[in-house]
Amino acid sequence: MTEYPEKPQLHMIWPPDRLGAALEPNTAPGYVIRTYRPGDEADFLSLMAKMDFDPWDDEKLRYNMARIIPDGWFFAVERASESIVGTAMCLHNYSGSTPFTGDVGWLACDPCHRGHRLGYSLTAHVTARFLHAGYSQIQLHTEYYRLPAVETYLNLGYLPVIHSREMSSLWQEVCGQIGWEFTPDAWPRRE
């Protein structure tokens, strides 16, 4: 696992003016996106073991499964092998400020299957599910060094949230690395 300097997670939200938007979560040929089926847990844990996240175990899985909204756990499946090669979750996150806050959670794609826009498709499915369920705030958090994921979220329409001067500087650095226009005046601010 690569070591990165400790920095705060990036925070992004789905634009409030797009809560009624329709999304077309197209999937690459040779793949299908489906929801959870009993028994997917072992394949999910195997996929997560390939990722550079903190280790997953049965307890972490149970905790997250308890937060997934109905029909809100998505898998990218390679048609030829019927293998799970990607995943993302709709996690209910009651923040105390609104009962309808959802987190895009645990987006992951097998490194052997990257480059097929599976992350985009999975995130679009999660976002569409939250919109269909009537969530009024959809957000996500990610590390600054997960540049392909950040670019995926930006391309889908998620907006960076600026919490502080440090966060503004971090977003400026990330935008420079991925060639994205740094426009903090157009992004939401949160104290």
Side-chain angles (χ1 to χ4, degrees):
M1 182 186 292
T2 306
E3 293 292 324
Y4 293 95
E6 186 73 27
K7 294 183 182 181
Q9 281 194 315
L10 301 175
H11 181 200
M12 302 179 82
I13 64 166
W14 185 251
D17 63 344
R18 292 192 60 203
L19 288 173
L23 292 173
E24 293 296 328
N26 299 326
T27 306
Y31 297 91
V32 64
I33 305 293
R34 67 163 173 82
T35 55
Y36 164 80
R37 295 178 187 159
D40 284 339
E41 295 87 349
D43 289 336
F44 171 80
L45 289 172
S46 177
L47 173 64
M48 296 310 273
K50 296 177 184 178
M51 309 310 295
D52 65 348
F53 297 127
D54 292 335
W56 276 73
D57 57 21
D58 290 336
E59 183 178 338
K60 187 171 185 171
L61 178 59
R62 273 192 303 276
Y63 170 76
N64 281 282
M65 285 182 72
R67 295 176 50 217
I68 299 171
I69 70 171
D71 297 321
W73 191 2
F74 295 92
F75 293 96
V77 177
E78 182 185 38
R79 288 183 190 271
S81 66
E82 297 184 14
S83 300
I84 290 175
V85 298
T87 187
M89 298 174 178
C90 296
L91 298 173
H92 179 72
N93 180 7
Y94 180 68
S95 64
S97 60
T98 172
F100 300 110
T101 300
D103 285 351
V104 177
W106 302 111
L107 173 66
C109 292
D110 185 314
C112 296
H113 294 269
R114 290 186 180 151
H116 298 281
R117 296 180 50 92
L118 297 175
Y120 185 95
S121 184
L122 285 161
T123 305
H125 274 83
V126 166
T127 305
R129 177 68 188 104
F130 276 134
L131 293 171
H132 181 75
Y135 275 70
S136 56
Q137 184 172 333
I138 305 166
Q139 64 183 6
L140 61 88
H141 294 84
T142 191
E143 282 74 29
Y144 69 94
Y145 53 83
R146 298 188 191 284
L147 299 176
V150 172
E151 194 166 9
T152 292
Y153 302 140
L154 289 166
N155 280 319
L156 191 58
Y158 279 84
L159 297 175
V161 178
I162 304 296
H163 295 284
S164 64
R165 215 175 294 187
E166 177 187 20
M167 188 59 66
S168 181
S169 295
L170 186 54
W171 271 110
Q172 186 172 18
E173 177 185 325
V174 167
C175 287
Q177 289 176 329
I178 62 174
W180 195 270
E181 187 177 0
F182 178 66
T183 56
D185 292 338
W187 300 337
R189 294 190 174 272
R190 299 265 165 83
E191 301 308 321

